[in-house]
Each structure stands twice: as structure tokens, then as C-alpha cells.
Amino acid sequence: MPEPAPLPDPFARWFATRGWTIHPHQAEMLARATDPALLLIAPTGGGKTLAGFLPSLLELADGSHKGLHTLFVSPLKALAADIRRNLTTPVTEMGLPIRIEDRTGDTSYTTKRRQRADPPHILLTTPESLALLTSYEDAPRIFAGLQRVIVDEIHALAESKRGDQLFLALSRLQTLAPGLRRVGLSATVEDPPALARLLARHPDPCPILQADPGPEPDISMLVTEELPPWSGGGAAHAIPAVLEQVKRHRTTLIFHNTRAQAEIFFHNLWLANDDSLPIGIHHGSLSRDQREAVEAAMVAGNLRAIVCTGSLDLGIDWGDVDLVIQIGAPKNVKRLIQRIGRANHRYNAPSKALLVPANRFEVVECVAALQAARAHDLDGDPRGPGPRDVLCQHILITACAGPFDADTLFAEIRTTGAYADLTRPQFDDCLTFCATGGYALRAYDRWQRLLHRPDGLWQLRDPRAAQRIRMNIGTIQDTDTVKVRMRGSFQHLGEVEEAFAATLTPGDTFLMGGQIVRYESLREMTVEVSRRADKPPKIATFMGTKFATSTQLSAHILQMFRQDDWPDLPRHTADWLALQREVSKLPEADRILIESFPHDGREHACIYGFAGRNAQQTLGLLLTQRMEALGLEPLGFVSTDYATLIWGLQPLTDPAPLFEAENLREGFETWLKGNAVMKRTFRASATIAGLIERNLPQARKSGRQATFSSDILYDTLAKYDPDHLMLQVTREEALRGLVDFGRIEEMIARTRGRVDLVRLTRVTPLAAPLFLEAGKVPVAGEGRERLVAETAARLLQEAGLAP
Amino acid sequence: MNACSFTLGTARLCALPSGALFDAAEGLLCVSDLHLAKSDRVARRQGIMLPPYETVETLDRLASDLTATGARRVICLGDSFDDPAAADSLTGAERDTILRLQAGRDWIWIAGNHDPGPVDLGGSHRAEVIIGGLTYRHETLAGSTNEVSGHYHPKFALPGAGRARPCFVFDAARVILPAYGAYTGGLSAAAPALRHRFGPKAFVILTGRCAILAPLPGV
């Protein structure tokens, strides 16, 4: 390691007046400032951000640099704004001639225009805003003097397509600014070299610096007097105990896995908040004004607690957080560790965290997660090669900036770690798709999107198309949402899903930002509400991501099931498991347990695969398809991280043929073509690749037949053009994403066809919670057709309208 | 073939699960809102290249309905083409398919709002036509009776029995056909704009595997 040089003034003086000494990893970042790529792994509160910025501040201190010097990319808008505030303080105190600005989807049009004409020295932005910047014709001028790019929270970005898009944008920037140096800032991860490969220009090396991880966190499970319920994620039983903890600490972050759960919990918390403790709520569906108000109150130290979701997962500096509470099972040990790191930002003080299981099964999962966290047993699956739908969008973005040469673009893309192994035919497929749609049987001759000019360059046929492409930049797949506004004012409260809005009738109430609002009308894609709340709330359905419990954590749980008794578990949960063992059996890692029983006039089969929510969902689709073929008339199913419950008209008596690996795989191939998960995945990929537009130049109207379902596009392609690029991409995506067939393979490998069917007369303790799960999936088949026909006949008869 | 019959005026009509309407007495098959060559219009106007297979798909379905019913007359009830220019973009093979379907049949194109003028294809072009006591026009007229129309792309979901499907809507005075074209969305039959076209006693016939009759709830 090179010897760290002493800090020059005014930096040394500034550190001294604060009584700070430079951390070893900050010094090392300075010493290696000229490296083309560096990855720093440090716990929250380790001065990570400053470590990233110090080299920039030093280089900019003499005021000689003109234009953009450093780009800081963070996954959250709030983070960009927060870091700008935190960075402005030392820059002002040291009197440095450095201009710092942020640029996100929230930045005003005029500011954005000015930033393009006269960029600041340091620009803080998000992957989407950066991609948009690179799409402008003047991108070469904006980025000409760029020296450094800092990718914050790179561990979070690298897990999604937002990261793929960002790293592709970096390849573009590297061409515009050849001297560009890259720095990644990451929380603790299981595989740092994999992250480094994504960050660096391929095949540049990327040294990894590890900061001192600090002391072991102090984590435990919150013990409540009230018993956790059998199902659900509300954790209402824990409200008094959580309030008690909030009182005992200065500032508490209360994390939830979904936005809907956060809303319900916040509502219940307020109902019980007799001392009127100042508590706020923060999640991605709330309006910018609301989020900013909460952030400001938090920074000012005016809040005792924030109920939040993943929108606060990342390193916003909230100052004096001394307790993190996780409501609901963490699903993933790595994310748990990262969330816990949010407590106590002072370096070298242990973080304090409490886990609050929301239901009986989550008690087991929380205890398993605690054991894994203490053992530093982090989980994670490697991501495959860079997805090609993102690549298609990148090609369109490139075309927006001006004519391009295909060979040059291909070479540039291959400098991106995730796309280093992209073949020329794969690239050409994407280019052809962008240019002509890439259809095998029928060509668009006249109306191509990209033209291949006589000089060999590619350009947009219609330059006006650039506006539409820019409006649809990004890889975040939100379902269609509508805005919620208070009637008679312009106060924008937030957003709800369009599908949810469609179920509302005037007078219905729901929770929004912690208050009960009453639905009045839907006008121009805005839900108008009032404050007259005279009904118990329906619950707004927010999309948010549903994470699957990791393979490693599932294995920990199955391991626990083997114990004779469970001294680590609370009594009620241990008793529950013992009862399950008595009336049926507990699932085992090397066998598949199926319980079959009648309930409420329908036959049920509960399959314990412990393959995680997405794979269990796939398993449900596969099994119901085979049951349909066997005439069992399945009607629907629901999945959790550990089991799938199927109901239908006939009992399941012989499960063995259902689970033979060959049958499952073969069924998978034929099934894959026509199922709803594929269609959902197709919709996402086709939107990213530019085949479907999310945003149109004119505001969306709630019009008739304006759009037709993307399912129709999927069906048409599958029928006429089964090898089309979009279907290839959909398949690749589904296999590793929502379909998660890899986890089914893992389940098959560990159980090897050993299936235990237990026939019972009634619901079992372990199966009971599944009846209360949301997200039931109907099966389209003979049983369903029969049901539709019967329903129609009954309605006709009830109306006295026999045909 | 899983169809569903009902009476309009004196005519006995048969709603096919594909979304076509068959009048056996007249040997007449009626389809509405084909929106042929929609992909061409979208590519031209929006620069987005949808899978250009909707024309083939729609004509395939029409061909099998014609074979199954043995219809001698065909009425395309308007919005047969996504716009007049789209009609010109049909490939030779697609035009041949249409000519083959027209051969030996009395073929009537009714004008729609997307295709108000005649197109360069065989058959006659009419604003509306009366056959077998029924008036065929693109968009329903208030106060009319014995009327067959399209335009609204109705769809409907039975409560508790899955997603909305394209559907016929009828009462004693009129029937509105579902959109027959592959790339067409829909409007709920319960939406005021559509529900108000019908009297209190109205029905839907869902399309899909089977045509299924159900009551349409009141306003």
C-alpha cells in the first residue's frame, strides 16, 4: 500500500477543527486516487461518502477545473439530495470554489436546462437521469472534462437492471471522457470481486479496499406479550412493544418489507400513540413533498421514529438513529445486515437492532436469520450476463444522441463487465430489433425506427422519435399508477395502483401517508379523495418488490425443523411446530411434504417445497397444469416462501408422477410458453426494450380501447415468431427472475423424487396460515370454465332471466 | 360449437365464441372492428414496431369462422382497417387471403370512424345496410331498434370468475359486437358510456372457449 500523503490545507485544518482524524480507508482512497477503478467496502457510518469525494475535493480545490469534474450516481433521488446537503457543508466551511448540484426526476425543467449549458463541478444524480443526459446531442460537450464517477450503494444497484443501465452509460462516458476514473462504494456483500468486475472498464483491474467492519451488531428478536398472528404482515400485535422501544431510544427506524404493510403499521401505531410521539412515514409511493418533509424533520432531529420501506434502505444520513426495528422476516440475511448497519452512524459503535416477526412462521424465519447473521453467513446468487432488453434501450439512447457506428458501439458495450461476453450476433439481434423490430416473417420496409445510412452509420428515421424514447428511459417496472389528490386542493398525496383505483367506489376509504382518505372520483387519471373517513380503510395496494426468502435462509429453517425441541423459539411457536409434528409431519430438506385435505367444499393440497416465493409460484403453475391434465380440476393456488396451496374440485391422491424431475422439466418447457408469469415478464422486458411505451407525449386519458393488453403481443409473437428476440429475453429473465426455475431444480436435486403425501381430514397447523395469504392465482382450465358457466347460470336464474 | 343464440327483432342470432355474429337464416356472418394493419399505423405514427402479425391472425380466425358456418354473406361492421393508409400497407399475401375469403361471397364493408372511405379491395362499401330486418351500422344510434353495431369494443368480467373477456352486449333493441381484431383493447360493458346504450334488462355474451350468456347489471 502506498504511503498516505499528509492532507493539504484547508483540509487538514478542517479535519482538525472538527477533532477528526482521517480514517485509514479514506487515506488509502486518496493515495490511490489515480487508479482507473476502485471499490470500497465499508459499513454505514464509516465515512464512506467522504472517502469517495475527498480526491475530487482536493483536485477541485485550486479552482482551475472548468465544467463537470465528478459525477456521483446513487440509487435514490433522496440520497442525491441528502448527499448534496452533507457535502455542501464542508465545502462551504473550507471556502472551496466548488459548485455542487443534484439532478434527478424531481429537478425542475429550467434547472435541468441550465445544468446542460453550464454543468456544476460535482453533479449528483440517479442512473435514469444519467442515461437521459447521455441521450442528448450535446452529451460530448457536457461530459468532456469529466474526471471521476462515484457509484454509491453499488451493491444495491448491481442487483438490478438499473445497475446494468448505469454500467452501460459508464461505457459511453468513458468514450466521451477517456481519462474517467471509476469508484464504487458498497456495503458488506458476499462476493466483492463480482462487484468490482461490474464497476471497472473491462478488462481493467479493480482493487478492492475493505474498511474496518466495526464491532458486531447487537441484534435480537423482540419479545411481545401478545402472540403473533397466524398469517399476514401487519404485526399489529407488536405495536405496544414497538412504541415502548421508540420511547426508550432517541431515534428509531422501523423497516417494513412492503409499502402496504408500512401504511397499515403506521396507522395502527398512531392509534396507539397516546404520548403523541413524533413519528413519520416514508416510502416510494408518497409524494415528493411528503417525503421531503419527513426527511427534513428527521435531519432536524424532530422525529422519534420513521416507519419506512426499502426507500430508506440506503445510506441517507439520518444522524442519530440508535435503533433499527425490522418488521416481518428479513427474507435475506445480507439485507438484514445492511439494514442493521443503519443504526448508529458513529464509527466503531455497535448497531442495535430488533426483529419483529409478523406472524408465527416468521418467528422461525427470524430466529434462523439471527443465527445466520451471527455466523456471518451472507446469502446471494450470482447474476448472469447483462440482460439484452437493457441493451436495446441503450442502443436507442445512443441513437437519440446522434448517428453511430455499429462496430464502435459494439466494442464500447463490451467494455462493460456484465456485457464483456456479448457476442456480435447477440448484439446484431438487438440492433436489428431496434431498427426494424427484427421480425422473421414480415418486414417493416418503410417505417423503420433506425435507418442504416449509405455512409454506414445508424440514425433515427424520425428525429422526433427521440422525445418518446427519452420519456421512456429507465428499467424500473412500476405497475400503472394513478395520482391521489385531496379534493378541492392541489395537494398531491401520492400514488396508488391503477388496478386498485379501479376497484374503488365513491365512499370507499383507504390509507395514504398514514391518513384515512375517502374516495370521491377518478378524473383524468387522478384519484380525488376527501378527509371524511367514515369507514374502516381498504388497503392501498402498492407494487413494491416482493423478495423471496433466500436459499441459504430456507436451508437454515429446514435445519431447525430437525430439532427435537426448540428452546430458541418462543413457547407459542415451539408448541405450534410440535402440534404440526403430531397431526402431520414437519417438512424435511431431503423430501417434499404434501398435505391433502378437504376444506370448505374444495379439495386442497399443500406442497412444502421451501424454494422461495417465486419458485413456489412457478411450482404452483406447473403442478396445476399437470393436475388439469389429470382431470383434478384445479381452480387456483397461492404461494408463500415455503409452500404452495392448491385448491380444486378433485382430491390429489397420487403425487409421485407430478414430481418426477423429467415430467416437471418437460411440463416446464410446454408450460413456459403460455403462462401468466411469462406474460408479466414479457411486459417488463418489452417495455424496457422500447416495444411498449409507458409514457406517452400526451398525458394518459382513462380512454377506451386506447391500449390493448401486452398479453396479446406475447401470444401473437409466440404463435408467429417463437424465436423472436423479445421471447428469448423473456425466457432468460423469467428463468432467473419471477419463474426462478433454478430454485425448483435445487429443490428437485435435494429431494430426488422423495415425496410424502399425508392425507388428512382437515387443515393442518402449518397449512392454515396459507388460507389467509393474499395473491391468489386463478387457474384457467376446465374447472374454471365450469365455474364461469355455473356463475353465469346462477346469476341468470337469480335475476329471473332464464334464457 | 359452443355458441350462444338469442333473438333480436324477428331474427334468431348466434354469438360465436370468436366474437363473430351469425344469422343462419340469412347465411350471414358479421364481424366488427377488425383493425387490420394496426401495426403499420403504429409504426408510421409512433415509430414503434409491434409484431406485424395481427392481420394474419385476424384473417385466420375469420377464415375458420367462415368455414365452420358456411356463411355466404359477410359484413365487416366498420373499423376494418386501422386507417385508410393502413389498408394500403397490406402485403400481397394478406390481400390474397382477403380475396380468397371474398370469393363466392357477398361481402360488405361498413364505414367506421377509422376507415370512413372505401378501400381498394373487393366487396361493396356502405354506411349502413338492412338485411333480414336488422340494421347493420358501425356505431349505435340512440332510439334505434333491431340494430347491430360495433365501435365500443365491449368486454366484461363476471364477479368472482376471472378477468374481463371481450363480449357481445344486447337487449331487446340492439346488439353491440366485441372487437374481432387481434390488437384491440376494450371498454367494460358496465361503463356508463356503454351501459346507457341499453335498457335495464340487458345481457352480455362472453367470448373465449365457449360463448357464455350472463346478465349485465343495471346502472
Side-chain angles (χ1 to χ4, degrees), chain A residues 433-437 439-444 446-450 461-462 465 468 628 682 690-693 696 703-709 711-713 716-717 719-721 778 780-782 784-785 787-789 791-796 799-801 803, chain B residues 33 35 37-41 43-58 60-61 79 85 88-91 94 113-114 151-153 158-163 165 182-187 201-203 206 208-210 212-215:
Chain A
F433 168 78
C434 292
T436 68
Y439 298 106
L441 301 181
R442 193 184 190 281
Y444 284 98
R446 283 192 293 171
W447 312 118
Q448 304 191 345
R449 201 172 207 174
L450 301 181
R461 169 177 62 85
D462 180 353
R468 302 182 79 107
E628 174 79 22
F682 170 78
L691 185 61
I692 301 171
E693 289 182 323
L696 302 175
R704 62 184 185 82
Q705 83 227 39
T707 57
F708 55 96
S709 152
D711 294 3
I712 294 172
L713 293 183
T716 310
L717 269 182
K719 182 168 170 187
Y720 292 98
D721 215 336
E782 288 307 322
R784 176 69 43 192
E785 286 299 309
L787 205 64
V788 171
T791 309
R794 183 174 51 75
L795 289 170
L796 283 170
L801 297 169
Chain B
D33 299 275
H35 288 272
K38 178 165 186 151
S39 58
D40 185 77
R41 176 170 179 248
R44 179 168 15 103
R45 310 240 310 220
Q46 296 171 24
I48 290 188
M49 286 153 299
L50 298 175
Y53 304 121
E54 80 286 5
T55 303
V56 174
E57 169 69 13
T58 306
D60 266 5
R61 276 164 40 207
D79 289 1
D88 298 334
S89 78
L90 295 181
T91 62
E94 288 161 352
N113 52 310
H114 280 257
H151 181 66
Y152 283 96
H153 301 204
L158 290 179
R163 301 172 82 180
R165 305 176 181 191
Y183 289 178
T184 49
L187 172 69
K201 187 178 163 186
F203 299 86
L206 304 187
R209 263 195 243 184
C210 299
I212 296 173
L213 178 74

Side-chain angles (χ1 to χ4, degrees), chain A residues 99-259:
Chain A
R99 218 172 90 213
I100 305 165
E101 292 176 13
D102 61 337
R103 179 189 181 95
T104 67
D106 289 347
T107 307
S108 76
Y109 175 71
T110 36
T111 306
K112 281 184 180 169
R113 272 229 331 225
R114 183 185 48 68
Q115 283 174 341
R116 274 169 65 190
D118 176 23
H121 298 111
I122 297 178
L123 185 69
L124 306 113
T125 188
T126 59
E128 291 72 27
S129 288
L130 176 60
L132 184 58
L133 266 177
T134 64
S135 81
Y136 293 118
E137 297 84 344
D138 55 359
R141 193 185 48 72
I142 299 171
F143 294 109
L146 185 65
Q147 298 295 310
R148 304 181 73 228
V149 58
I150 304 170
V151 181
D152 194 26
E153 310 279 2
I154 186 172
H155 61 282
L157 281 171
E159 284 178 355
S160 74
K161 291 186 181 179
R162 302 183 70 202
D164 297 316
Q165 175 158 63
L166 170 63
F167 298 129
L168 283 169
L170 293 192
S171 73
R172 191 91 265 276
L173 293 185
Q174 198 86 50
T175 303
L176 300 177
L180 179 66
R181 291 158 284 160
R182 309 175 181 200
V183 169
L185 308 177
S186 170
T188 316
V189 286
E190 80 285 359
D191 187 5
L195 212 49
R197 259 194 313 279
L198 292 177
L199 171 67
R201 172 175 62 182
H202 184 79
D204 284 358
C206 179
I208 299 165
L209 310 184
Q210 296 262 10
D212 177 1
E216 287 293 306
D218 164 18
I219 350 170
S220 53
M221 193 162 74
L222 182 67
V223 180
T224 56
E225 280 182 30
E226 197 74 21
L227 297 185
W230 293 111
S231 149
H237 71 282
I239 295 279
V242 167
L243 264 180
E244 191 50 41
Q245 291 295 330
V246 171
K247 278 181 212 162
R248 278 197 230 152
H249 292 84
R250 265 192 323 277
T251 311
T252 306
L253 291 184
I254 306 173
F255 277 104
H256 288 262
N257 288 333
T258 71
R259 294 169 190 178

Side-chain angles (χ1 to χ4, degrees), chain A residues 588-779:
Chain A
E588 296 168 72
D590 56 355
R591 316 182 72 81
I592 294 174
L593 171 65
I594 302 179
E595 294 173 333
S596 158
F597 49 83
H599 178 74
D600 207 12
R602 298 265 156 84
E603 277 299 330
H604 290 78
C606 191
I607 297 107
Y608 300 91
F610 281 84
R613 184 180 294 273
N614 294 332
Q616 288 289 150
Q617 185 88 352
T618 300
L619 194 62
L621 291 161
L622 279 177
L623 293 178
T624 49
Q625 177 201 254
R626 291 192 58 81
M627 289 167 74
E628 174 79 22
L630 295 171
L632 299 178
E633 300 189 304
L635 289 174
F637 66 92
V638 68
S639 301
T640 66
D641 282 303
Y642 59 97
T644 297
L645 179 71
I646 301 174
W647 53 92
L649 301 178
Q650 308 293 331
L652 175 65
T653 48
D654 180 18
L658 293 183
F659 283 93
E660 276 157 26
E662 275 319 299
N663 282 353
L664 269 184
R665 270 187 218 110
E666 193 183 302
F668 181 68
E669 289 304 321
T670 43
W671 158 82
L672 201 54
K673 290 195 179 74
N675 83 82
V677 176
M678 284 295 275
K679 289 177 180 172
R680 205 183 324 154
T681 309
F682 170 78
R683 181 183 169 82
S685 285
T687 306
I688 291 171
L691 185 61
I692 301 171
E693 289 182 323
R694 235 171 340 143
N695 301 310
L696 302 175
Q698 304 84 20
R700 280 184 304 155
K701 303 266 180 190
S702 56
R704 62 184 185 82
Q705 83 227 39
T707 57
F708 55 96
S709 152
S710 62
D711 294 3
I712 294 172
L713 293 183
Y714 176 84
D715 288 336
T716 310
L717 269 182
K719 182 168 170 187
Y720 292 98
D721 215 336
D723 291 328
H724 188 263
L725 175 68
M726 275 304 106
L727 293 185
Q728 294 176 26
V729 172
T730 301
R731 195 189 149 81
E732 290 161 12
E733 283 302 305
L735 284 183
R736 64 184 172 191
L738 283 169
V739 169
D740 212 359
F741 199 69
R743 292 283 296 269
I744 294 183
E745 292 278 10
E746 180 267 336
M747 180 194 80
I748 292 171
R750 77 179 136 81
T751 57
R752 293 171 180 274
R754 290 178 290 258
V755 181
D756 299 323
L757 177 78
V758 184
R759 177 70 188 172
L760 301 136
T761 54
R762 48 183 293 196
V763 183
T764 63
L766 214 49
L770 277 103
F771 282 85
L772 308 168
E773 274 292 321
K776 298 186 168 70
V777 180
V779 172

Side-chain angles (χ1 to χ4, degrees), chain B residues 62-76:
Chain B
L62 184 54
S64 38
D65 276 347
L66 287 173
T67 307
T69 57
R72 302 179 311 276
R73 281 175 166 173
V74 175
I75 295 181
C76 297

Side-chain angles (χ1 to χ4, degrees), chain A residues 480-638:
Chain A
D480 290 329
T481 57
V482 291
K483 289 189 169 165
V484 180
R485 197 180 66 187
M486 195 58 78
R487 171 170 269 194
S489 83
F490 290 100
Q491 193 193 348
H492 171 208
L493 297 176
E495 290 169 343
V496 293
E497 285 185 19
E498 199 173 336
F500 174 75
T503 67
L504 295 170
T505 48
D508 278 350
T509 53
F510 58 97
L511 285 166
M512 191 79 223
Q515 56 182 324
I516 303 178
V517 293
R518 182 179 191 272
Y519 173 77
E520 299 289 348
S521 63
L522 178 66
R523 204 177 280 175
E524 302 270 307
M525 303 314 281
T526 300
V527 172
E528 289 198 335
V529 297
S530 67
R531 268 204 191 82
R532 281 177 299 147
D534 39 20
K535 273 191 197 177
K538 280 192 172 189
I539 288 129
T541 53
F542 305 102
M543 182 61 175
T545 325
K546 285 205 175 82
F547 295 101
T549 300
S550 68
T551 314
Q552 292 86 338
L553 193 48
S554 299
H556 277 283
I557 295 168
L558 285 167
Q559 188 68 32
M560 279 178 67
F561 281 170
R562 296 178 50 160
Q563 294 167 212
D564 291 329
D565 53 14
W566 297 277
D568 289 346
L569 290 177
R571 177 69 183 277
H572 49 72
T573 304
D575 288 350
W576 175 53
L577 295 185
L579 185 64
Q580 168 71 18
R581 187 173 270 165
E582 191 184 315
V583 303
S584 175
K585 43 174 38 181
L586 279 170
E588 296 168 72
D590 56 355
R591 316 182 72 81
I592 294 174
L593 171 65
I594 302 179
E595 294 173 333
S596 158
F597 49 83
H599 178 74
D600 207 12
R602 298 265 156 84
E603 277 299 330
H604 290 78
C606 191
I607 297 107
Y608 300 91
F610 281 84
R613 184 180 294 273
N614 294 332
Q616 288 289 150
Q617 185 88 352
T618 300
L619 194 62
L621 291 161
L622 279 177
L623 293 178
T624 49
Q625 177 201 254
R626 291 192 58 81
M627 289 167 74
E628 174 79 22
L630 295 171
L632 299 178
E633 300 189 304
L635 289 174
F637 66 92
V638 68

